[in-house]
Each structure stands twice: as C-alpha cells, then as structure tokens.
Amino acid sequence: MKKTILKTVVLLALAGTSVALSASSYTYNTRSLIGLEGSYNTFDVENVTPAKRATKKFAGVGLKIGAQTDNYRVFLSGRNNFVSGYDYAYSLGAEAQYLMNFSSFMNMFIGGSGGYMNLRFAKSNQASRELVSPYLGGDVGFNIHLGESVDLELGVRSVKLLNPSYIQNNTTYNIGNITSGYMSIIFKYSMDEY
C-alpha cells in the first residue's frame, strides 16, 4: 500500500512539473479555495496480545484552504474526528490533486496526501494511550459545479499511518488504514490583482 501511494504521488509530481514547464504565464486560471467537509470514517484497532480486533466507525468534520488552476489543486487541511471512547482524534495535512475536466458541470479528481494524525484514548482505570503518526494517503472523487463559485465535492479517501503501533501495559495495539467517504462544499474566488 505504501509503495502504491508513493508511486501515485511521484507520478502526480512529475505530471505537474511537465505541465508547469510547458505552460505560459498567460494560461493559468487560478482560483483560491475554502472548503468545509463532513466525512464518515472507519479503521480497525487490533490488539496483538491477546489477539482482539475491533472496527471503529465515526464521523468527522474538516476545514481546508487551497488554490487551483484548470487542472491542478492543492489544499492545507485540518480534520477533527469524533471517535467513541477517544478523547480526541485529529489530523493536519496537505493534499495535491489532478483535475480531469470531462464535462462543463463536473470534473473528476485523483490525488495524494500527507500529514500528521494524533489520537488519544483514556480509560478511567488505566493510563491514557496516545498515538502520533505521520500518514500518507490518496483520494478520488467528483466535483459537481453548483455555480461559478461553488462546487460540491464527493470523494473517497484512504490513509495509512506510518507508525500505526503503540504499546500500553505490555499490550501492542495496531491501527489499520483509515477509510473515509466524504462530502465538501468548496467556495472558489479570485483574489483582487493590484
């Protein structure tokens, strides 16, 4: 999974470089972006000893800011997740996406992401458990153009924690890939030129 994500990110970076080198300064149609996101997410938590596995399903909200041209967009994002039994679960990261414009009312995107995830779980009779890990991920989805300045984004994201294990009371816990289905409202605007 890590190799596939890395190959995707490298491919997108190379494609972006070749397009940037061949484009003139008069071809960019840049827009600034602000997005509000809601998501439904799942991940597996596995106790290595004793062997036990549980699936966590939870909702999340996020804010992302970025910019786009006709075929590329980037975001800086922050997401807060509401996982039952966890004190907090949030992530900070960045996404880069390639836009495939096949219709006047919608386009498709594919992209890669990276950042940090922080999870904390505490029981009343035990010490708290905390996991801080970098992550890599990828997403794919569609943007439906609701107007000149608003898009409805529907997507699927998969995130792999690079340090998915932590030890508590001689028990090792592993967190599996985080899979998300999400919907965002993206507001697009052009900055005034001076």
Side-chain angles (χ1 to χ4, degrees):
M1 178 71 177
K2 187 191 294 187
K3 289 182 180 180
T4 303
I5 293 171
L6 185 58
K7 288 178 184 177
T8 303
V9 170
V10 169
L11 179 64
L12 288 173
L14 290 175
T17 303
S18 65
V19 169
L21 291 174
S22 65
S24 75
S25 62
Y26 301 105
T27 61
Y28 295 114
N29 180 20
T30 59
R31 306 291 297 271
S32 297
L33 308 171
I34 295 177
L36 303 173
E37 178 182 299
S39 63
Y40 178 77
N41 315 274
T42 66
F43 67 78
D44 289 336
V45 179
E46 181 180 28
N47 297 6
V48 176
T49 306
K52 183 180 176 184
R53 188 179 190 114
T55 298
K56 290 288 187 180
K57 299 178 181 179
F58 55 97
V61 295
L63 175 67
K64 46 194 183 184
I65 58 171
Q68 79 173 43
T69 63
D70 289 334
N71 294 101
Y72 295 93
R73 70 180 179 179
V74 293
F75 287 110
L76 295 176
S77 61
R79 296 181 177 90
N80 189 27
N81 299 296
F82 306 102
V83 186
S84 176
Y86 283 67
D87 293 339
Y88 54 77
Y90 65 86
S91 66
L92 300 172
E95 294 94 36
Q97 298 170 340
Y98 175 69
L99 302 172
M100 293 166 267
N101 299 299
F102 58 85
S103 170
S104 61
F105 69 90
M106 71 184 304
N107 59 21
M108 183 178 176
F109 65 88
I110 184 168
S113 62
Y116 277 90
M117 174 76 71
N118 192 339
L119 305 162
R120 184 170 186 268
F121 176 78
K123 288 187 175 180
S124 57
N125 60 348
Q126 296 179 6
S128 64
R129 301 191 296 253
E130 186 168 11
L131 173 69
V132 178
S133 173
Y135 70 82
L136 289 175
D139 56 0
V140 64
F142 295 92
N143 288 309
I144 301 168
H145 308 309
L146 301 179
E148 181 67 25
S149 60
V150 180
D151 282 354
L152 175 65
E153 176 185 10
L154 304 172
V156 177
R157 178 186 305 116
S158 180
V159 167
K160 178 174 182 56
L161 299 179
L162 300 182
N163 299 320
S165 300
Y166 60 95
I167 298 173
Q168 176 71 35
N169 298 332
N170 297 321
T171 302
T172 301
Y173 297 88
N174 290 323
I175 293 183
N177 292 348
I178 301 169
T179 304
S180 306
Y182 65 93
M183 179 178 72
S184 300
I185 297 292
I186 307 291
F187 299 98
K188 303 182 288 187
Y189 61 96
S190 297
M191 299 291 283
D192 292 332
E193 295 183 18
Y194 296 99

